[in-house]
Amino acid sequence: IEQQDNKELKILLNEYHYADVAEILDELNLDEATYIIKLLDSETTSDVLMELDEDNREKILENLSIKEIAEEIEELDTDDAADIINELPEDRRQAVISNIEDEEHQAEIRELLAYDEDTAGGLMAKELVKVYETWTVAGCLRRIRGQAKDVTRVHSIYVVTKEEKLIGRLSLKDLITAKNEQKIADIAKDNVDFVNVNDDVEDVARVMSKYDLEAIPVVDDNQILLGRITIDDIVDVMKEEAEKDYQLAAGISQDVEADDSIWQLTRARIPWLFLGLIGGVGAFLIMEGFHEAFSKYAILFFFTPLIAAMAGNVGVQSSAIIVQGLANDDIKGSINSRLMKEMLLAALNGIILAIFLFLFVWVSQQDAKTAFAISISLVVVIIVAGLIGTFVPLFLDKRGIDPAIATGPFITTSNDIFGILIYFTIAKLILGI
Amino acid sequence: IEQQDNKELKILLNEYHYADVAEILDELNLDEATYIIKLLDSETTSDVLMELDEDNREKILENLSIKEIAEEIEELDTDDAADIINELPEDRRQAVISNIEDEEHQAEIRELLAYDEDTAGGLMAKELVKVYETWTVAGCLRRIRGQAKDVTRVHSIYVVTKEEKLIGRLSLKDLITAKNEQKIADIAKDNVDFVNVNDDVEDVARVMSKYDLEAIPVVDDNQILLGRITIDDIVDVMKEEAEKDYQLAAGISQDVEADDSIWQLTRARIPWLFLGLIGGVGAFLIMEGFHEAFSKYAILFFFTPLIAAMAGNVGVQSSAIIVQGLANDDIKGSINSRLMKEMLLAALNGIILAIFLFLFVWVSQQDAKTAFAISISLVVVIIVAGLIGTFVPLFLDKRGIDPAIATGPFITTSNDIFGILIYFTIAKLILGI
C-alpha cells in the first residue's frame, strides 16, 4: 500500500475509525507512520494520535514541527491536548502552546497543565455545557445549540449561578421534555454530584462507579464550576490501576508491556528478583545454622521447598484478598478481628493440609515422630504466613503506602524466610536435636 | 435509629442516594435491612436492591413475598430486572415473572432471561430510544419525548428501517441542532458501531473501550435492533474481570471477598494450596533421589529454597506480562519469536543475578567450583522458568482456555519442581558427584 498512491491511501484510511487507524500505525515503522500522519488532515490525525501507543506517539511527535503539533492540538479536547503537551520534552512545550491560534483554547490548556496529573484537575476537560439558572428553557435550547458544537458528548448540562457556582444539573432529555417558557431554576435537579479539583483520581473513579455516573463536574473550593470528567477517562484510569496492581502482584515494578524492549523489561523485573535472591540467601543462612541436624534428619531439609512454597502461597492469597478489599473500600472492622479471622482460616487450611502431609511422611518414611514434627510445623507456618499476609497490607494502607506492593515477591520472600526459620525451630524442639 | 420512628427514618433515608442507603443496609443485620426495604417505596428500594452486596440481596429477597419482589422489579430497567430474577431460586422465578403487571415489561424480561449471562444479550437492556428513518426532526422530537420517559439515560438515538433494522445513529445534540423539517435519514450518522447478541461480554467491553463508546446497540444476525448495552454495565464487567484475574494470580479460585465466611474462603483457597502441597512432595522426591550427594555437598541443599523461589518469581513475571498482553489483545508475532525474546530477557536477568550469587558463595564457602555450579544452574533455571511462564499462557489461550489460571500457584509449583530438578542435575554434572 505504501507505493505513494496518496489519494487512494487517504480515501482508504478515511473509511476506518481513528482507533483502527491508530492500530495500523502502531504496526508500521516510524517513517511510514509519520508519513501517514502528515498525509491525513489534522481533524482525523489528532484523534489517531490520542489512540496510539504512548511510545510510538512520542516518536512521531518528535518528527513533527512545532507548528504541526500545534495544529493537531487545536483539534483536540482540552484534556487530551494537555495530556499530549505533558508528554512533550520541556523545551518544546511552551513553543507548542504559544503556537495554538485559538486563544481561549490556549488559556484553557495552560490552566489544565497547572494541575497534578493524579488529581481530578489533571483529568478534567474544560469542554462542557452550562446554563445560568435565570435562563428559560427556550433561551437555553437556543444557546446550547452554540455551546454543544464544541463538546463531543453532552451528558449533563450544568446549572450555575451568575458567579459560576455549580448549583444543579439537567439532562438534554429534561430540557426537551420541558415546556419552553419554564425557568431553568425550576426544572434543574439540585442533587448534583461533583468532585473537588484536588481530589485524587482514584477517589473520582470510586464515586463515579458507585453512583454509575457518566460524567461528573469538577469544582474548586468555592464551588465554582471548572470542568468535567467523563467516564471514558475513568475507564482508562481503572484499567491502568488494575494493571498496575496485577503487575505489582507478579513482581513487575514499572508499567511495561509484552512488546517493550528487553532492557525496559529487565529494569522492571530485576529489582524483585534481587529481593528473591536476598531471601534465598537468608534461607541458606538459616539452613546452614541448622546443619548439625543434617546427619540424623536429612529428610527435614528435603521438605524445605514444600514449607517455603506453602508459606508463600498462603501469604499471597491472604494479602490479595486484603488488597482487593482495600481497593473496593469494603474492609470493615478492626485489624485485630481481621487477624483473628485469618488465623482461624489459616489454621483450618493448615490442619487439612497437615493431615495429608503427615500420612505421606508416615507411610513413606515409617517414622511417626518426624512426620508429626513436619506436619505441626506446616500448620504453624501457614498460620504465621496468613497473619503476615493480612497484617502487612493493612499496615501499609494505614501508613498511606499503596498496599499492592505487599503482594507478590515481597510477601513470598519474607514468608519463605519466616517459614523456614519456624519450621526448623519447631522440628528441632519436637525431635530434640 | 431503629426505635420504630418510621416517619423520621423514612425522611432521613430518602435524603440519601440509593447507593449510600445500600451501603448502610449492608452493615445492618437481616431483620433490620428487610424492615427498611419494606418501609421505603419500591421506586427507591429497587435501586437500593441493585446496589446491595449479592449475598445480602439474596437473603433479603428470601424474606420478601413473590408480590413484593414483582413490585420491585416493575421499577427496574429490564437488564437489572433480569439479573435479579436470575438470582432467585428456580421455583420462585416463574411466579415472580407472572406477577409483573406491565405485560410489555414482562415479555421483555422473559426475552432477556433466554440469553446466556456471558453474552451481549445477557447484559443488554431493552430500554432505548429509536426512530424510523422516514421521520422528520420535528416529529422525532415529539415522539422522543414519549419514549425517553422510560429510558434513564438517552446516549444515542438509534435509527432503524421500518423492518427494525439498525442503519444509523443520532445524538440528542444532533437532533436539537438540526432544522425541524429535515428528514432523519439525512442527518443520521451511518457509521454506527454495534455488537451481535451472541458476542462475548469481554469482546463487547473491548470494543466499547477501544472506541470510547458510552452505549452500544445490540443486533441479531439479521441486523434487527434488539437492545443496548451501557458503559456502566461494562465498567462492572471490567472490574469483575480484573478482580478474577488478580485472584487467580494469587491462587484464589472463586469470587470471594474479605468478608465472606471462613468456609467460603477455605473452599476458594485450598485447591491451590493442595497443588502447592503436591509440588512440595514432588520436590521432596527429587531431593531424596539426590541424597547421596548429601554427605559431600550439603551446601547444595541449602540453596534449594533460593532456586525454587527464583524459578517461581520469574515464571510469574513472564506469565503475568503475557496474560495481560492477551487480555489487551496486543500480543503480536509468533509464539517462537515471543519465546526467543523471553529467553534473551531471562538469560540477561539470570546472568546478572548469577554473578552476585557466585560472589556470595565463593566468598562465604571459599569453593569456586561449587559456586560456579550453583550459579550456572541458576541461569539455566531462570531461562527455563521464563520459557514455561511464557509458553503456558500462550498455549492455553490457543486452546481457548482462560490463560489467567496459568499465573500464580500453577506456574510457581511447576517451576519449583522443574527448577529443583534442573538445579541438581546440572550441579551433579559439574561437580561430578
Side-chain angles (χ1 to χ4, degrees), chain B residues 252-268:
Chain B
I252 301 167
S253 56
Q254 286 166 32
D255 181 28
V256 287
E257 283 162 33
D259 281 320
D260 283 345
S261 74
I262 288 186
W263 180 235
Q264 281 174 307
L265 287 166
T266 298
R267 275 207 321 213

Side-chain angles (χ1 to χ4, degrees), chain A residues 17-20 23 27 51 141 144-145 148 151-155 172-173 176-177 209-214 231-232 235 238-239 242-243 245-247 249-252 256-260 262 265-266 269-270 272-274 276-277 280-281 283-285 287-288 291 294 298-299 301-306 309-310 313-314 316-318 320-321 323-324 328 330-332 338 341-342 344-345 348-349 352-353 356-357 360 365 378 407 409 416 420, chain B residues 17-20 23 27 51 141 144-145 148 151-155 172-173 176-177 209-214 231-232 235 238-239 242-243 245-247 249-252 256-260 262 265-266 269-270 272-274 276-277 280-281 283-285 287-288 291 294 298-299 301-306 309-310 313-314 316-318 320-321 323-324 328 330-332 338 341-342 344-345 348-349 352-353 356-357 360 365 378 407 409 416 420:
Chain A
H17 188 280
Y18 56 82
D20 294 318
E23 234 172 47
E27 300 282 308
E51 293 291 324
L141 273 171
I144 279 179
R145 280 173 204 188
V151 183
T152 326
R153 283 173 204 153
V154 172
H155 297 282
L172 267 184
K173 194 184 91 185
I176 62 168
T177 49
S209 107
K210 180 174 169 190
Y211 298 122
D212 282 346
L213 303 175
E214 278 148 12
I231 187 77
D232 53 321
V235 167
M238 283 172 51
K239 250 181 150 173
E243 289 187 0
D245 282 0
Y246 188 78
Q247 294 200 341
I252 301 168
V256 287
E257 284 162 32
D259 280 321
D260 283 346
I262 288 186
L265 287 167
T266 298
R269 286 164 60 159
I270 212 156
W272 295 107
L273 294 179
F274 254 111
L277 193 73
V281 168
F284 162 78
L285 293 173
M287 289 168 82
E288 212 190 16
H291 78 276
F294 220 100
I299 184 182
F301 290 81
F302 301 162
F303 278 108
T304 42
L306 184 147
M310 298 309 277
N313 286 351
V314 169
V316 169
Q317 286 182 336
S318 43
I321 289 196
V323 167
Q324 213 160 57
N328 290 336
D330 58 29
I331 294 283
K332 287 142 200 160
R338 188 60 54 187
K341 182 176 179 187
E342 177 63 31
L344 290 174
L345 176 61
L348 178 62
N349 284 342
I352 296 172
L353 296 165
F356 282 86
L357 187 62
F360 171 76
Q365 305 296 316
L378 181 65
T407 48
D416 274 8
I420 292 174
Chain B
H17 188 280
Y18 56 82
D20 294 317
E23 236 172 46
E27 301 281 308
E51 293 291 324
L141 272 172
I144 279 179
R145 280 171 205 191
V151 183
T152 326
R153 284 171 203 155
V154 172
H155 297 282
L172 266 185
K173 193 183 93 184
I176 62 167
T177 51
S209 107
K210 181 174 167 190
Y211 298 124
D212 284 345
L213 303 175
E214 278 147 12
I231 186 77
D232 53 321
V235 168
M238 282 173 51
K239 250 182 151 171
E243 289 187 359
D245 283 0
Y246 189 79
Q247 294 201 338
I252 301 167
V256 287
E257 283 162 33
D259 281 320
D260 283 345
I262 288 186
L265 287 166
T266 298
R269 286 163 61 158
I270 213 156
W272 295 106
L273 294 180
F274 254 112
L277 193 73
V281 168
F284 163 77
L285 294 174
M287 289 167 84
E288 212 190 18
H291 78 275
F294 220 98
I299 183 183
F301 289 83
F302 301 161
F303 278 108
T304 43
L306 184 147
M310 298 309 275
N313 286 351
V314 170
V316 169
Q317 286 182 337
S318 44
I321 288 195
V323 167
Q324 211 160 60
N328 290 337
D330 57 30
I331 294 282
K332 287 142 199 160
R338 188 62 52 189
K341 183 178 179 185
E342 177 63 33
L344 290 173
L345 176 61
L348 179 61
N349 284 341
I352 295 173
L353 296 164
F356 282 87
L357 186 62
F360 171 76
Q365 306 296 316
L378 181 66
T407 50
D416 275 9
I420 292 174

Side-chain angles (χ1 to χ4, degrees), chain B residues 328-391:
Chain B
N328 290 337
D329 215 6
D330 57 30
I331 294 282
K332 287 142 199 160
S334 66
I335 290 195
N336 282 338
S337 66
R338 188 62 52 189
L339 288 174
M340 181 57 84
K341 183 178 179 185
E342 177 63 33
M343 201 167 91
L344 290 173
L345 176 61
L348 179 61
N349 284 341
I351 289 168
I352 295 173
L353 296 164
I355 291 171
F356 282 87
L357 186 62
F358 176 82
L359 291 174
F360 171 76
V361 181
W362 190 27
V363 169
S364 73
Q365 306 296 316
Q366 303 290 338
D367 178 351
K369 203 174 169 189
T370 310
F372 181 71
I374 294 173
S375 311
I376 288 291
S377 308
L378 181 66
V379 178
V380 178
V381 165
I382 287 181
I383 292 174
V384 173
L387 292 179
I388 294 177
T390 307
F391 179 76

Side-chain angles (χ1 to χ4, degrees), chain B residues 172-211:
Chain B
L172 266 185
K173 193 183 93 184
D174 296 329
L175 209 54
I176 62 167
T177 51
K179 292 197 190 70
N180 277 340
E181 63 277 12
Q182 277 184 295
K183 271 264 188 314
I184 292 299
D186 298 331
I187 61 166
K189 299 185 183 100
D190 57 1
N191 61 339
V192 54
D193 292 296
F194 56 86
V195 290
N196 186 284
V197 69
N198 297 313
D199 282 352
D200 193 88
V201 285
E202 285 177 43
D203 293 329
V204 178
R206 203 141 38 211
V207 170
M208 290 186 74
S209 107
K210 181 174 167 190
Y211 298 124

Side-chain angles (χ1 to χ4, degrees), chain B residues 58-82:
Chain B
E58 232 167 78
K59 282 184 212 136
I60 290 179
L61 287 177
E62 273 170 33
N63 280 2
L64 297 180
S65 70
I66 300 280
K67 225 189 150 108
E68 283 167 325
I69 299 178
E71 268 166 31
E72 302 285 354
I73 283 175
E74 200 100 32
E75 297 294 334
L76 287 172
D77 280 354
T78 45
D79 54 341
D80 294 336

Side-chain angles (χ1 to χ4, degrees), chain B residues 131-134 159-167 224:
Chain B
V131 295
Y132 292 90
E133 53 175 338
T134 49
V159 181
V160 294
T161 64
K162 64 178 188 300
E163 294 85 21
E164 306 285 333
K165 266 193 193 172
L166 176 71
I167 54 163
I224 305 292

